[in-house]
Every structure is written in structure tokens, then in C-alpha cells.
Amino acid sequence: MTLHNAAHSFRLASALALALLLLSAPARAQSDAITLAWDPSPEPIVSGYFLYVVRAADGVTQQFDAGTRTQFTYTGVRPSTGYTFSVAAYTAEGVTGSRSQTVFYMAGSESSQNAPKPGASDAPPATTVRPPRSPMATAEPAPARIEAGVITAIAALPDGRIALVEEGRRVRFVSADGRVSADPALVVDASSTILSLAVDPAFAESRAMFLGMRDSAEQGTRSARLVRYREVGGTLGQPAVIVEGLPAAEDASMPVTIDANGRLYVAVPATSDARSRFASTVLRFEADGSAAAENLGASPEFTRGFARPTALTWSEETGTVWLSGSDSGARGETRRIVVGADGPGPVVIDPEDGALLRLTDERGRVSASRLTLPAGQVATHVTVARDGSIVAIVSDASGAQTLVRFDR
């Protein structure tokens, strides 16, 4: 992720059930203060607010009385350490309300001060996080280094974790409480790029995740493949190529999704080779890579797609599949490619302004409602977790990326 210097302000908007998890860090370790803000409680009996700070390294919790103020600056930030913040209202009688959603913040390490500029090196900027100690531990463990790269894809796992793709090279997991795994679950070699990932709806039994990958040959040719991995203990292994030889473009993604029957949908972009078969189409496969039985003519081609597909989403609630993208010179759009029951559709990104839109399908008519993002933020990636919460990567003007969760 892009590193930046400024102190950060976050809004704990309990009325919106909004929670933020900061995954980037200041570029300078001496940036030791962050400011949090929250919406005032509408209850007239509220007389003040407590701010709670939990240090990830050792679980130490601090409580601060903010009085009637609705913001607080915490100055105890240590380099290379993660913190979780929450706020609760209290009354003059001493009654304290429930805590808000949490904000997770990870302070940058000194190694981030001299992070290479994009393109200067294959090594991405680095930061560190200290894992929690066992209650029996007598010494603090050494920091576990993690690489904080630009997020290029995300997916929600049924167990509450979020899978992130960094720089197109690494897959890393974020726990339900906002802790980033110290070690990547997967690292691919320099000739491959991870374009997308999708989680098997039956993940609890299969442990399967599917990655869309682009491979570059020495002579400059490119092709894409779909690879199944299995997750065990936070690591992705047992790779199996399901489909290979797909068209690939240097500057376009290849979204992937899976429906309730385990069928795989792949949105293939346009390529510079006009003769390329399956370019700008959506392909549908069985889990073993054969053409889906319901396809026409034993071909994997399912329907037309976009020159630049951006998202392919299966809606568990309604059984619909939605495709987002754009064609050359055209505005972005989202359309259903598998029609299911009426009800909530996917959450998509408005190509006009980076806002999040929740689509609803009622008797063939699609409507959209906008979800409020923090001021100055635009969404770059979005997924919906099994519990219905919406998880998005948002970016500000400086390029800093934040993981935002909307509760259902």
C-alpha cells in the first residue's frame, strides 16, 4: 500500500455501523499521534465518552475519558505496533453503553522511511506488526515483518477472514478482528500475476480458493489460467490448474466467481490480438475445468462480456450472477448474466465517482442505493462477507488504502 506521513482521522459512525481497519502506515516512524472522531450520541442522557485502546503486541488496554468531545488524539503510538480503538458513551450516573465498532491502526516501522518508489525495485515497501504474546510468555517476541503492498483484489471467507492480494504477487489473510497475517499465504514468482480470487461457497469442507493468474513468457506473450488452491493453517497449497491458455491483457483484470453449484465463471478481457478466441466473453466451467453441462454446444463460452471487466459477483441470497465492466469509450455498467430470485444483489463500485452501490433486483427492475464512505475516499475493491457485511478497500487522495466494513 502507499505509505504516507499525515496523521489520520477516522469516524466511528455507530449509527451507520461503520468500522475501519487501517492497513497502511505512516512513512515516518516519528508520526506518533492519530486522531479519531465519532458521531455524537442522540441520547440526551449521554454526558461523555470513553475511548478504549488495545495494543496488539501484548493486549494491554487503556481507557481515556474524552468528556463531551467527539474526537480524541492518541499520542502513544509506537512504531511497528498495531492498535485497536473503540468508543462508548456514558451517563452522569456512571452507566456506560456498549462499545462502537473498532478501528484497527498499524503504525509504520522505521524501514518504511526509505521505501522505494514504484518501479525502482521489485521489493515493495515494508512495515512490521508484533503478534500477540502467549499469557505464559516472559519475553516479547521479535517483530514479524510483513510487506504492505497495493491491494489488487479481495475476497471474503466464510469464517470471517478477508483474503487480500498484494501487488498481484502475494495473498495474505486479515482476521475478523483486523490482524494481518505476518506471513503470506502464497507468493507467486515474478513471471506470474494474480488477477483475481474467489472462494468456494463450500469452503468449510473443501478449503478451496480459485485464483485467476496471468503468465508472461520471455518473448512477451501472455496467457491466463485458473488455478485451485487449498488453504490449510493460513497457507495456500496443493495447486491444481483447472483451466489454462485463456486470453490475457497487460492492463486488464480477469474476474472470477463461483455459484452455489460449484460452477466457475471467468470474465475474459479484450486483447490486442483480434483473433483471440473468447476475448470479451464470460466463460462457465464445472469445478474440474470442463465446459459447464448447461452451456450450449459443449463450449465454455457462456455470454458476452466487457472489453475491460472489473467485477464478477455471485449473489448468494438470490442466486444471480452479475458482471461489471466497460467497453472501449463506453461508460461502466453492471448487468445480470444469471437471473435468479428477487432481492438484494451485489455491491458494486460506481465508475463515475468510486462510490459503493448496493443493487436490488425486484421483478426485473434493478435499483441502486449508495453507501456512505468517509470524506475524500473512493472504493477500489469490494466484496460481501457470508454474514452480509460489506468489505471494501478505499483509497484517499494520497493513495493510502483502508479496509472498510459495513455491518449488514
Side-chain angles (χ1 to χ4, degrees), residues 21 160-162 173-181 405:
L21 303 175
R161 290 178 295 168
I162 302 296
F173 293 118
V174 180
S175 67
D177 63 357
R179 297 186 180 185
V180 185
S181 58
R405 184 187 295 268

Tab-separated table of all heavy atoms in Angstrom, residues 21 160-162 173-181 405:
chain	number	residue	atom	x	y	z
A	21	LEU	N	-10.564	-0.471	9.253
A	21	LEU	CA	-9.325	-1.167	9.598
A	21	LEU	C	-8.224	-0.578	8.748
A	21	LEU	O	-8.198	-0.766	7.533
A	21	LEU	CB	-9.445	-2.666	9.295
A	21	LEU	CG	-10.591	-3.406	9.963
A	21	LEU	CD1	-10.624	-4.835	9.462
A	21	LEU	CD2	-10.440	-3.389	11.459
A	160	GLY	N	-15.016	-15.480	8.322
A	160	GLY	CA	-14.842	-14.104	8.774
A	160	GLY	C	-13.551	-13.455	8.333
A	160	GLY	O	-13.395	-12.244	8.454
A	161	ARG	N	-12.608	-14.227	7.821
A	161	ARG	CA	-11.365	-13.641	7.334
A	161	ARG	C	-11.563	-12.987	5.969
A	161	ARG	O	-12.516	-13.288	5.258
A	161	ARG	CB	-10.267	-14.702	7.241
A	161	ARG	CG	-9.762	-15.219	8.563
A	161	ARG	CD	-8.714	-16.297	8.354
A	161	ARG	NE	-9.276	-17.491	7.711
A	161	ARG	CZ	-8.551	-18.478	7.213
A	161	ARG	NH1	-7.215	-18.416	7.256
A	161	ARG	NH2	-9.129	-19.536	6.661
A	162	ILE	N	-10.627	-12.105	5.649
A	162	ILE	CA	-10.596	-11.477	4.335
A	162	ILE	C	-9.274	-11.869	3.682
A	162	ILE	O	-8.213	-11.791	4.314
A	162	ILE	CB	-10.692	-9.944	4.433
A	162	ILE	CG1	-11.980	-9.543	5.160
A	162	ILE	CG2	-10.640	-9.309	3.047
A	162	ILE	CD1	-13.248	-9.926	4.460
A	173	PHE	N	-3.974	-13.040	4.572
A	173	PHE	CA	-5.263	-13.063	5.250
A	173	PHE	C	-5.324	-11.993	6.335
A	173	PHE	O	-4.330	-11.711	7.009
A	173	PHE	CB	-5.523	-14.433	5.878
A	173	PHE	CG	-5.702	-15.536	4.877
A	173	PHE	CD1	-4.835	-16.612	4.841
A	173	PHE	CD2	-6.745	-15.507	3.966
A	173	PHE	CE1	-4.986	-17.631	3.925
A	173	PHE	CE2	-6.914	-16.512	3.038
A	173	PHE	CZ	-6.032	-17.579	3.014
A	174	VAL	N	-6.520	-11.410	6.499
A	174	VAL	CA	-6.814	-10.492	7.601
A	174	VAL	C	-7.861	-11.167	8.467
A	174	VAL	O	-8.914	-11.582	7.971
A	174	VAL	CB	-7.343	-9.142	7.089
A	174	VAL	CG1	-7.635	-8.202	8.254
A	174	VAL	CG2	-6.350	-8.496	6.132
A	175	SER	N	-7.577	-11.295	9.747
A	175	SER	CA	-8.511	-11.960	10.656
A	175	SER	C	-9.743	-11.100	10.884
A	175	SER	O	-9.775	-9.918	10.543
A	175	SER	CB	-7.827	-12.263	11.992
A	175	SER	OG	-7.519	-11.051	12.669
A	176	ALA	N	-10.762	-11.705	11.480
A	176	ALA	CA	-12.013	-10.990	11.724
A	176	ALA	C	-11.817	-9.783	12.637
A	176	ALA	O	-12.583	-8.825	12.570
A	176	ALA	CB	-13.047	-11.946	12.324
A	177	ASP	N	-10.769	-9.803	13.482
A	177	ASP	CA	-10.524	-8.670	14.374
A	177	ASP	C	-9.483	-7.708	13.806
A	177	ASP	O	-8.985	-6.835	14.503
A	177	ASP	CB	-10.114	-9.138	15.768
A	177	ASP	CG	-8.800	-9.921	15.765
A	177	ASP	OD1	-8.240	-10.143	14.667
A	177	ASP	OD2	-8.344	-10.312	16.854
A	178	GLY	N	-9.129	-7.860	12.533
A	178	GLY	CA	-8.283	-6.878	11.875
A	178	GLY	C	-6.807	-7.144	11.875
A	178	GLY	O	-6.031	-6.291	11.460
A	179	ARG	N	-6.376	-8.317	12.287
A	179	ARG	CA	-4.945	-8.615	12.304
A	179	ARG	C	-4.502	-9.185	10.967
A	179	ARG	O	-5.076	-10.161	10.473
A	179	ARG	CB	-4.612	-9.587	13.424
A	179	ARG	CG	-4.914	-9.020	14.810
A	179	ARG	CD	-4.452	-9.944	15.904
A	179	ARG	NE	-4.752	-9.401	17.216
A	179	ARG	CZ	-4.382	-9.960	18.352
A	179	ARG	NH1	-3.697	-11.080	18.334
A	179	ARG	NH2	-4.690	-9.400	19.509
A	180	VAL	N	-3.480	-8.593	10.402
A	180	VAL	CA	-2.934	-9.049	9.130
A	180	VAL	C	-1.945	-10.178	9.389
A	180	VAL	O	-1.100	-10.087	10.281
A	180	VAL	CB	-2.215	-7.894	8.404
A	180	VAL	CG1	-1.752	-8.339	7.018
A	180	VAL	CG2	-3.125	-6.687	8.295
A	181	SER	N	-2.046	-11.260	8.620
A	181	SER	CA	-1.117	-12.370	8.813
A	181	SER	C	0.311	-11.919	8.556
A	181	SER	O	0.587	-11.207	7.588
A	181	SER	CB	-1.484	-13.532	7.883
A	181	SER	OG	-1.462	-13.120	6.529
A	405	ARG	N	-15.474	-1.823	6.675
A	405	ARG	CA	-16.522	-2.835	6.807
A	405	ARG	C	-17.834	-2.175	7.200
A	405	ARG	O	-17.903	-1.437	8.186
A	405	ARG	CB	-16.138	-3.880	7.854
A	405	ARG	CG	-17.143	-5.017	7.971
A	405	ARG	CD	-16.807	-5.941	9.145
A	405	ARG	NE	-15.551	-6.636	8.955
A	405	ARG	CZ	-15.449	-7.841	8.381
A	405	ARG	NH1	-16.524	-8.459	7.942
A	405	ARG	NH2	-14.273	-8.424	8.258
